[in-house]
């Protein structure tokens, strides 16, 4: 009898020890799917969100260590006050006085996105950062180097160990951490969202704009993301220098020539310039394109075969509606500001 | 009673250990009959184009061993990056209980699942430079060098082959029959000349580069899937 109780006592102690060791010092974060939205595409099982993982991702996102000369963090081009697009830049500045070849898109609601980039060339959010890190006109680094730099940094070593429970830093862990930060960039609190939830009301021009939007735009800029994630040619002419054929570069299929992913219009008031190469400096430029300037070619979308008639009146109402897609709580959410800040300071805008 | 049990378990253990056989696959990189020497040696292809090789590496996976009765042993979820510059990578050791090995199969490349499931580790870590970042996906095989026949700057040529999307699938399955059942070291000859001329003629002076999935990559994949043979 005595023996048994001693044994069970020992077993209990061992159990407690093991569970104490296994219990890493992380706090899980539950990813909340806004009411009425579909299930996310991202597989959280392979990368469970934790407060510490998110904070590590945030630190990496704001750290020039991921670039060759230390000057280019993700956040240099993806700025919170521009919904993580590049504020006021048609093209962003990269390593060694270079320019990106496309306009930096807003980063929001990425958990629902399956493919990334204007041409959809990247098949997983975790793979996405590899492209800017290694591109000569963005961060100009090699993956090997960033892993070495991070391993040489005692603070990063400590944090990685805390987050992943293991000592070694590798490509996968860096990318998972960046994803944790990006996945939580959820924008669902604009006036539009509040109206949909019954917490606010559109004023008349907004309401009229919404009606027009539902007739003319929603086939491509589909709610709730304001994109259906498809690739379409809306009649932008080929830029002779960039020679960017969009989706065709990925599929090698002629019928995809000049197709680009339908961009989300959430926070559109803050993401100018517009279009895959930032050629439209204002919403008015975009409207002029749709109603006048677009060139209909054989891959132009069937919805736009006769361009898109838009009266000045309609443009006014549509603009009022588009401004209701601004989510100021997202643009100023202090969780997404640089580590140590409550709001993204203007100095982040250095170029 | 208890003692008997222990002896029994021990016996099973011993028997099962004895039944395991170690097979080593050794990859010998050649250019025709010559051994491959990176950077220094000059070779020539079927079109009399002379060239040197600077880099040669490829992924193999789903290695399957078959015995004379058709029984299979599959090495699952293991991706080997065979690299001329790393002699250890050219030997793969496999423990199997099969005897009388009659054939070996493997796949050149990385299956589509591993191309779309985020960042992988180990030999599949994108750090190894076998990954396209702008159109995400693995480079399955890479041959780079220099040739007077190349019109490119620095007289370089380079073939990066991959592709997992529909119509671009460059995965190739290789099957090699083994005549001598008793082999424990399987010597596999890997002939680089086949890249240029096996199914399709690929001339350096016309085609110095392949840097993306698509029609050319598929032709090169068909060509190099002929590069393996068993050395007696």
């Amino acid at each position: 009898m005595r023996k048994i109780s001693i044994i069970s006592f020992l077993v209990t102690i061992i159990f407690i020890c093991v569970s104490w060791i296994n219990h890493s010092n992380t706090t899980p974060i539950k990813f909340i799917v806004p009411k009425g939205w579909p299930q996310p595409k991202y597989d959280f099982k392979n990368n469970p969100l934790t407060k510490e993982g998110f904070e590590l991702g945030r630190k990496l996102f704001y750290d020039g260590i991921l670039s060759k000369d230390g000057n280019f963090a993700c956040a240099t081009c993806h700025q919170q006050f521009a919904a993580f697009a590049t504020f006021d830049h048609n093209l962003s500045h990269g390593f060694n006085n270079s320019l990106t070849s496309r306009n930096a898109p807003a980063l929001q609601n990425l958990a629902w996105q399956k493919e990334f980039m204007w041409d959809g060339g990247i098949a997983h959010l975790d793979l996405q950062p590899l492209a800017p890190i290694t591109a000569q006109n963005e961060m100009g680094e090699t993956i090997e180097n960033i892993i070495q730099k991070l391993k040489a940094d005692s603070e990063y070593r400590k944090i990685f160990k805390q987050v992943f429970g293991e000592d070694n830093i590798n490509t996968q862990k860096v990318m998972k951490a960046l994803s944790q930060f990006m996945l939580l960039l959820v924008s669902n609190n604009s006036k539009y969202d509040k109206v949909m939830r019954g917490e606010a009301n559109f004023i008349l021009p907004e309401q009229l704009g919404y009606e027009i939007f539902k007739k003319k735009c929603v086939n491509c800029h589909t709610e709730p993301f304001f994109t259906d994630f498809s690739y379409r040619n809306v009649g932008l002419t080929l830029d002779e220098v960039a020679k960017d054929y969009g989706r065709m570069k990925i599929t090698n299929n002629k019928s995809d020539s000049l197709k680009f992913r339908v961009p989300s219009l959430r926070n559109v008031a803050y993401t100018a310039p517009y279009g895959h190469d930032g050629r439209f400096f204002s919403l008015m430029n975009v409207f002029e394109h749709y109603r006048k300037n677009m060139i209909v070619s054989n891959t132009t979308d069937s919805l736009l075969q006769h361009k898109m008639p838009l009266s000045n009146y309609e443009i006014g109402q549509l603009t009022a509606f588009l401004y209701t897609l601004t989510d100021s709580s997202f643009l100023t959410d202090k969780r997404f500001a640089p580590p140590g800040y409550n709001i993204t300071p203007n100095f982040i805008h250095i170029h | 009673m208890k003692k008997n049990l222990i002896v029994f378990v021990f016996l099973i253990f011993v028997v099962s250990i004895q039944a395991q056989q170690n097979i080593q696959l050794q990859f010998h990189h050649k250019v025709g009959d010559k051994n491959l020497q990176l950077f220094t040696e000059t070779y020539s292809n079927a079109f009399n184009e002379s060239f040197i090789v600077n880099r040669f590496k490829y992924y193999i996976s789903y290695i399957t061993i078959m015995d004379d009765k058709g029984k299979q042993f599959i090495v699952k979820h293991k991706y080997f990056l065979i690299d001329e510059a790393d002699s250890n990578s050219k030997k793969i050791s496999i423990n199997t209980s099969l005897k009388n090995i009659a054939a070996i199969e493997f796949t050149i490349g990385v299956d589509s699942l591993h191309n779309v499931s985020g960042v992988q580790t180990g030999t599949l870590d994108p750090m190894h430079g076998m990954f396209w970042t702008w159109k995400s996906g693995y480079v399955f095989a890479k041959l780079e060098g220099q040739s007077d026949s190349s019109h490119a700057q620095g007289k370089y040529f380079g073939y990066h082959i991959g592709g997992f999307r529909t119509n671009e699938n460059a995965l190739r399955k290789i099957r090699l029959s083994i005549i001598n059942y008793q082999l424990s070291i399987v010597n596999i000859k890997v002939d680089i000349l086949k890249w240029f001329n096996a199914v399709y003629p690929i001339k350096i002076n016309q085609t110095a580069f392949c840097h993306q999935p698509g029609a050319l990559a598929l032709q090169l994949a068909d060509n190099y899937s002929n590069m393996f043979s068993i050395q007696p």
Side-chain angles (χ1 to χ4, degrees), chain B:
Chain B
M1 191 49 212
K2 223 178 186 175
K3 240 184 206 158
N4 282 348
L5 193 72
I6 289 170
V7 171
F8 183 67
V9 168
F10 182 73
L11 275 178
I12 286 186
F13 186 65
V14 170
V15 168
S16 62
I17 280 199
Q18 275 185 340
Q20 287 281 323
Q21 198 199 170
N22 182 271
I23 296 188
Q24 201 174 71
L25 308 186
Q26 292 191 3
F27 293 83
H28 303 276
H29 296 164
K30 302 266 190 175
V31 186
D33 292 328
K34 297 184 188 155
N35 289 330
L36 175 61
Q37 292 282 348
L38 292 183
F39 298 107
T40 50
E41 201 88 5
T42 305
Y43 310 97
S44 135
N45 67 15
F47 315 108
N48 272 325
E49 298 177 310
S50 66
F51 64 92
I52 62 170
V53 177
N54 299 340
R55 227 181 233 149
F56 179 52
K57 43 186 184 171
Y58 49 93
Y59 280 112
I60 73 169
S61 53
Y62 286 92
I63 300 176
T64 304
I65 310 232
M66 275 172 248
D67 71 5
D68 52 345
K69 301 198 181 63
K71 259 198 15 220
Q72 297 192 350
F73 173 83
I74 306 178
V75 183
K76 280 196 193 126
H77 308 302
K78 278 210 112 169
Y79 294 80
F80 300 91
L81 178 56
I82 307 206
D83 182 355
E84 170 60 20
D86 171 9
S87 54
N88 285 332
S89 75
K90 294 191 276 179
K91 296 188 190 116
I92 297 175
S93 164
I94 297 164
N95 285 320
T96 169
S97 55
L98 297 185
K99 289 192 208 84
N100 295 343
I101 308 301
I104 289 181
E105 280 187 2
F106 53 84
T107 300
I108 317 177
V110 179
D111 61 9
S112 70
L113 181 71
H114 285 80
N115 277 279
V116 298
S117 320
V119 177
Q120 309 295 317
T121 54
T123 52
L124 290 181
D125 191 321
M127 189 167 82
H128 297 298
M130 296 289 277
F131 196 82
W132 283 300
T133 56
W134 58 275
K135 173 172 175 177
S136 64
Y138 284 95
V139 175
F140 298 169
K142 199 180 242 189
L143 175 67
E144 289 176 3
Q146 281 158 292
S147 164
D148 284 338
S149 301
S150 162
H151 299 305
Q153 198 184 344
K155 301 204 176 298
Y156 286 101
F157 71 93
Y159 305 128
H160 298 181
I161 315 305
F164 63 91
R165 293 169 173 88
T166 333
N167 301 327
E168 292 182 348
N169 193 337
L171 280 176
R172 292 293 178 272
K173 204 168 184 178
I174 309 299
R175 186 191 167 92
L176 302 170
S177 299
I178 295 174
I179 316 213
N180 179 356
Y181 287 172
Q182 305 309 323
L183 285 180
S184 62
I185 294 181
V186 180
N187 289 301
I188 300 173
K189 175 182 170 183
V190 187
D191 182 3
I192 287 179
L193 285 184
K194 293 290 196 292
W195 282 63
F196 303 100
N197 191 30
V199 188
Y200 303 96
I202 304 284
K203 295 185 182 147
I204 300 175
N205 83 16
Q206 286 166 3
T207 311
F209 291 103
C210 176
H211 278 171
Q212 57 177 321
L216 176 61
L218 294 178
Q219 289 191 347
L220 278 154
D222 285 343
N223 273 2
Y224 69 53
S225 62
N226 289 288
M227 73 179 163
F228 301 94
S229 60
I230 297 285
Q231 261 181 356

Side-chain angles (χ1 to χ4, degrees), chain A residues 66-81:
Chain A
L66 298 186
S67 72
K68 185 156 187 153
D69 61 2
N71 284 333
F72 295 92
C74 308
T76 325
C77 297
H78 297 289
Q79 302 160 337
Q80 183 178 13
F81 43 75

Side-chain angles (χ1 to χ4, degrees), chain A residues 331-351:
Chain A
L331 301 173
T332 57
D333 191 328
K334 58 177 195 261
R335 291 177 302 159
F336 307 143
Y341 285 86
N342 276 336
I343 187 150
T344 299
N346 267 317
F347 74 71
I348 202 98
H349 185 194
I350 47 174
H351 299 283

Side-chain angles (χ1 to χ4, degrees), chain A residues 46 117 119-124 126-127 130-131 134 143-144 147 170-172 175 249-252, chain B residues 115-122 125-127 131 133-137 164-165 168 212-215:
Chain A
N46 284 326
M117 300 302 216
D119 57 19
I122 295 178
H124 195 286
D126 296 2
L127 297 172
L130 300 173
T134 57
I143 302 166
E144 236 169 333
I147 300 299
N170 64 18
T171 318
Q172 185 184 64
M175 301 306 143
K249 190 171 160 200
I250 303 308
T251 61
N252 290 323
Chain B
N115 277 279
V116 298
S117 320
V119 177
Q120 309 295 317
T121 54
D125 191 321
M127 189 167 82
F131 196 82
T133 56
W134 58 275
K135 173 172 175 177
S136 64
F164 63 91
R165 293 169 173 88
E168 292 182 348
Q212 57 177 321

Side-chain angles (χ1 to χ4, degrees), chain A residues 25-240:
Chain A
N25 305 315
T26 54
T27 324
I29 297 180
K30 196 168 149 29
F31 185 82
I32 296 162
V33 179
K35 222 171 145 204
W37 286 25
Q39 281 306 306
K41 293 276 189 299
Y42 191 85
D43 183 5
F44 289 94
K45 277 200 300 294
N46 284 326
N47 188 14
L49 299 182
T50 62
K51 185 157 185 325
E52 294 72 15
F54 166 82
E55 288 298 341
L56 171 58
R58 174 179 173 192
K59 184 172 161 66
L60 288 165
F61 192 86
Y62 279 98
D63 196 338
I65 195 170
L66 298 186
S67 72
K68 185 156 187 153
D69 61 2
N71 284 333
F72 295 92
C74 308
T76 325
C77 297
H78 297 289
Q79 302 160 337
Q80 183 178 13
F81 43 75
F84 295 97
T86 311
F87 181 75
D88 200 25
H89 278 59
N90 52 339
L91 304 174
S92 320
H93 298 244
F95 174 66
N96 202 7
N97 293 314
S98 56
L99 285 175
T100 56
S101 48
R102 293 190 184 137
N103 178 252
L107 305 183
Q108 52 192 351
N109 304 332
L110 293 166
W112 286 270
Q113 209 165 304
K114 238 183 96 181
E115 295 169 328
F116 302 86
M117 300 302 216
W118 281 97
D119 57 19
I122 295 178
H124 195 286
L125 183 60
D126 296 2
L127 297 172
Q128 162 67 42
L130 300 173
I133 289 169
T134 57
Q136 278 311 311
N137 59 345
E138 297 187 44
M139 300 160 95
E141 249 303 5
T142 66
I143 302 166
E144 236 169 333
N145 274 349
I146 62 156
I147 300 299
Q148 252 162 33
K149 285 192 282 185
L150 292 170
K151 279 183 175 167
D153 184 310
S154 59
E155 196 184 339
Y156 269 117
R157 274 206 312 273
K158 204 177 89 202
I159 306 175
F160 269 94
K161 178 152 192 203
Q162 188 195 5
V163 170
F164 294 102
E166 292 167 353
D167 235 338
N168 75 319
I169 298 179
N170 64 18
T171 318
Q172 185 184 64
K173 291 184 184 127
V174 176
M175 301 306 143
K176 280 187 167 173
L178 279 167
S179 284
Q180 295 217 5
F181 175 74
M182 292 192 285
L183 287 162
L184 285 172
L185 301 176
V186 176
S187 174
N188 75 319
N189 209 20
S190 63
K191 177 162 186 192
Y192 159 83
D193 296 297
K194 289 178 186 155
V195 172
M196 293 300 125
R197 292 197 294 259
E199 298 162 9
N201 292 307
F202 282 140
I203 58 171
L204 188 61
E206 295 166 349
Q207 181 62 40
L208 296 172
Y210 185 38
E211 302 304 330
I212 302 166
F213 189 85
K214 283 198 283 192
K215 276 203 213 85
K216 300 204 161 171
C217 320
V218 87
N219 274 319
C220 305
H221 298 285
T222 313
E223 300 163 76
F225 303 111
F226 291 86
T227 163
D228 65 351
F229 302 109
S230 65
Y231 305 89
R232 311 210 189 210
N233 173 354
V234 293
L236 275 73
T237 48
L238 180 72
D239 180 300
E240 284 302 329

